[in-house]
Structure formats: structure tokens, C-alpha cells
Amino acid sequence: WFFSIELRDLARNNKVKSLLIWYSGLADVQEEKAFWLPVDSRKNEPSGFYKINALQASLASYSTLNHLLVVSSAGYPNVSDGMAPHSLEACYNTELLSKKSAQMLGPAFLEVNQQNPLFLSAFIHALQANPAACIPVDALYERISLGMEQEGMERSVLFPLKDLGHENGTFFFVRKIIQN
């Protein structure tokens, strides 16, 4: 209900153009598919698990969004359809900004019941260490992947959600300037 109707209506009514969803929780694996375990679910009852595919289906009606990024700490199977990288200068590329983006970013496929705090740490460090005023998600992905590899983990995954209108645009993180 929340993803299918409530959040969609909030985005539409408030004219939201860019949305980041942090899809966090424990990961579990069944038949090569990753699931999110909401905090109120029971680990041994798969009917309470929330599939990443169910989230994607719920997001299909978010027609007012220009840019969507789903970040998940639940893990993904290896994805062969990766992103074409954009340059760090893409933050100022108006053609790239005008294209819709729908992307997912997260750690590579996890073993059963493995939590991945390294992904969150690498994500935060990549944002904090960025010297530029903004960073496109694909550059952030490269920095996260480097941090994960340095810790002996697999590279992260970043892939387009073509069923959600991805047009090879990208999602940007812009540094907030705090005035004293």
C-alpha cells in the first residue's frame, strides 16, 4: 500500500521530480532472488518478505518523476545490464539532466542472512570525500565499489530500471551549502 499508493500520491501532489528510496533491511535469499525483510516480518515466514520486484512493480505508476534512485542494502543478484558511465562533469550537462533516470544501486548479491554494513560505510565515505559540489550516481557507485573491493567485498551493482522509463539520465547528489 505505501509504495503502490501513498508514496506515489505524495510525490504527485507535491510535484516531486526526484526521489531517492533507501530500501534497507536484512537480506535473505531464496531461489536466487533477494528479499527485503521488513522489521515486523518473521525470518521463517516468506509470506512476510518483500521482493525487490514487488517494489519495482509498485513504482511503475510514478509517472511524474524525472529521476528515481533506489538504494538497497538487501543485495542483488549479479546484473549483466550495467550502466554506461557518465563523467564527473555530467552534473552540469543539461542534456543528461533532461533525460529521465530510474536506477538501482546496492551491494552485490549477499549470502543468506548476511548483513552488509560495509556498503553503508562506503556510501557515506564516498559522499563525504567528494570534493565537488555534486556527484552523479555512477561516479558515486565507482567510489563505493572501490571501497568495497578494498575491504575484500564484491563490487556494488548499479543498473537501470528500464520498466520505469529509464532514458539514460542519471541521479545527482548535490552538496548542501550551510551558511553560518
Side-chain angles (χ1 to χ4, degrees), residues 56 68 79-84 100-105 157-169:
Q56 286 182 251
L68 170 67
V79 179
S80 60
D81 195 11
M83 302 296 299
K100 288 184 82 169
S101 66
Q103 300 158 292
M104 291 188 93
L105 169 67
V157 293
L158 174 65
F159 57 95
L161 298 169
K162 292 182 179 168
D163 295 341
L164 300 181
H166 183 72
E167 299 173 345
N168 291 324

Side-chain angles (χ1 to χ4, degrees), residues 39-168:
V39 293
D40 59 351
S41 69
R42 293 190 180 117
K43 277 185 152 182
N44 297 331
E45 292 183 26
S47 63
F49 297 4
Y50 193 66
K51 297 177 187 175
I52 291 174
N53 294 355
L55 175 64
Q56 286 182 251
S58 295
L59 296 174
S61 63
Y62 286 54
S63 58
T64 60
L65 293 179
N66 289 335
H67 303 284
L68 170 67
L69 178 63
V70 177
V71 179
S72 171
S73 59
Y76 300 102
N78 290 333
V79 179
S80 60
D81 195 11
M83 302 296 299
H86 301 102
S87 72
L88 287 172
E89 302 157 334
C91 292
Y92 310 103
N93 182 330
T94 56
E95 180 182 341
L96 190 59
L97 288 170
S98 67
K99 293 181 179 180
K100 288 184 82 169
S101 66
Q103 300 158 292
M104 291 188 93
L105 169 67
F109 198 64
L110 301 174
E111 296 299 322
V112 176
N113 297 324
Q114 178 186 359
Q115 295 184 38
N116 196 347
L118 284 176
F119 175 77
L120 176 59
S121 296
F123 189 98
I124 291 168
H125 181 265
L127 283 176
Q128 290 176 336
N130 178 43
C134 80
I135 184 170
V137 72
D138 58 312
L140 183 67
Y141 153 76
E142 287 296 333
R143 292 178 185 178
I144 292 169
S145 291
L146 181 62
M148 301 276 295
E149 286 177 333
Q150 288 173 345
E151 295 295 327
M153 303 289 289
E154 287 185 50
R155 289 181 66 83
S156 299
V157 293
L158 174 65
F159 57 95
L161 298 169
K162 292 182 179 168
D163 295 341
L164 300 181
H166 183 72
E167 299 173 345
N168 291 324

Side-chain angles (χ1 to χ4, degrees), residues 23 46 65 85 129 174 180:
Y23 185 78
L65 293 179
V174 179
N180 288 333

